Amino acid sequence: MKVWVICEDRWHPAETIRQGLEKLDRTEFQFTITDRVEDFDPARLKDYPVVLVCRSNSQSKQEKEYWMNESVQQAFEHYVERGGGLLAVHAGTAGYDKEEGQFRRLLGGVFTHHPEACKVTIRPDKQHPIAEGIEEFTVHDEHYFMDWDDPIADLIMTTVSEHGAQPGGWTRTYGRGRAAVLTPGHELGVWTHPMYLRLLRNALYWCAKQAEPGSEN
């Protein structure tokens, strides 16, 4: 499966994502990693069954010329609407908080804030294919608090810490395409955790609408 990975911002180094994705089976996935927004070309979206967004929205004026401006948001919307898959992980939900934003509408909710990094427990809902084979696990991470816009989206996991409980992942359909959100993922220890890697793998297949190898579906 071809996967386009968009990552790297001032708070979230691309190297963390690279090291995590290295743990996934490269016979299953072919990752194209774009870590400079200047290299992002929305015309390439159609070349991938799924796009993994792991970067927050741009802060600098220069970056905003290339990333998540109105035309880029429209490109993502058309991509998913026509059958593409979008997986937003951790930083991929941050900085997209404009209520009128098309990208926020695609995701169905966005990051608002987080306390200091702490122990976060991920509790999956095993009724969803993305959570299949996932057992509850605890990691040291930023506990993302979310503004969840779409209450009819499928909640697939909850994150719990000393600060409370939050929606930690959900899925939704948009046109002919699919979108999913996973909020953990700041620390390298999350990206290399076996349960998280399985969660990522499941999510990529679900978003791409492809059956996993060995699956009966």
Side-chain angles (χ1 to χ4, degrees):
M1 183 198 303
K2 293 174 63 178
V3 181
W4 193 5
V5 184
I6 315 298
C7 58
E8 179 69 37
D9 61 55
R10 61 180 293 189
W11 300 283
H12 307 92
E15 188 59 26
T16 299
I17 287 83
R18 289 179 189 274
Q19 290 186 44
L21 296 179
E22 284 287 343
K23 302 292 185 181
L24 291 175
D25 190 341
R26 289 310 183 97
T27 65
E28 290 184 52
F29 300 103
Q30 178 185 341
F31 295 109
T32 299
I33 297 178
T34 297
D35 56 10
R36 284 169 25 98
V37 287
E38 294 88 344
D39 298 332
F40 176 76
D41 179 3
R44 294 168 54 197
L45 287 169
K46 67 182 186 307
D47 298 330
Y48 298 87
V50 59
V51 178
L52 172 57
V53 177
C54 306
R55 83 179 312 276
S56 61
N57 201 7
S58 301
Q59 301 299 310
S60 74
K61 183 177 180 180
Q62 181 181 7
E63 285 182 325
K64 288 179 180 179
E65 295 179 11
Y66 302 97
W67 180 246
M68 217 44 75
N69 54 40
E70 186 173 348
S71 64
V72 170
Q73 291 191 67
Q74 289 176 351
F76 269 104
E77 185 170 40
H78 293 161
Y79 165 72
V80 178
E81 200 170 40
R82 295 168 185 173
L86 172 62
L87 175 58
V89 172
H90 192 66
T93 68
Y96 305 101
D97 51 356
K98 289 186 178 180
E99 292 184 2
E100 71 279 7
Q102 292 160 294
F103 195 70
R104 175 176 182 153
R105 185 162 63 247
L106 278 177
L107 298 183
V110 292
F111 160 83
T112 61
H113 67 282
H114 67 79
E116 289 294 321
C118 60
K119 287 185 179 180
V120 180
T121 298
I122 290 88
R123 294 178 177 168
D125 179 347
K126 296 182 181 180
Q127 295 181 355
H128 196 280
I130 293 180
E132 185 175 349
I134 309 298
E135 302 295 333
E136 180 178 306
F137 63 102
T138 300
V139 291
H140 185 266
D141 201 27
E142 291 177 345
H143 190 191
Y144 264 25
F145 278 61
M146 308 300 292
D147 206 348
W148 197 21
D149 299 333
D150 187 359
I152 64 171
D154 288 332
L155 182 68
I156 59 173
M157 66 186 201
T158 302
T159 52
V160 182
S161 75
E162 62 182 307
H163 304 285
Q166 284 291 303
W170 62 82
T171 64
R172 61 197 307 271
T173 57
Y174 194 93
R176 298 196 302 271
R178 291 176 171 180
V181 168
L182 303 176
T183 68
H186 186 80
E187 304 287 349
L188 179 59
V190 180
W191 283 87
T192 56
H193 193 288
M195 284 292 103
Y196 189 73
L197 288 168
R198 185 160 186 171
L199 194 64
L200 276 175
R201 180 178 180 270
N202 290 352
L204 288 169
Y205 276 105
W206 185 86
C207 289
K209 295 186 285 189
Q210 295 186 17
E212 298 184 25
S215 171
E216 296 179 359
N217 298 325

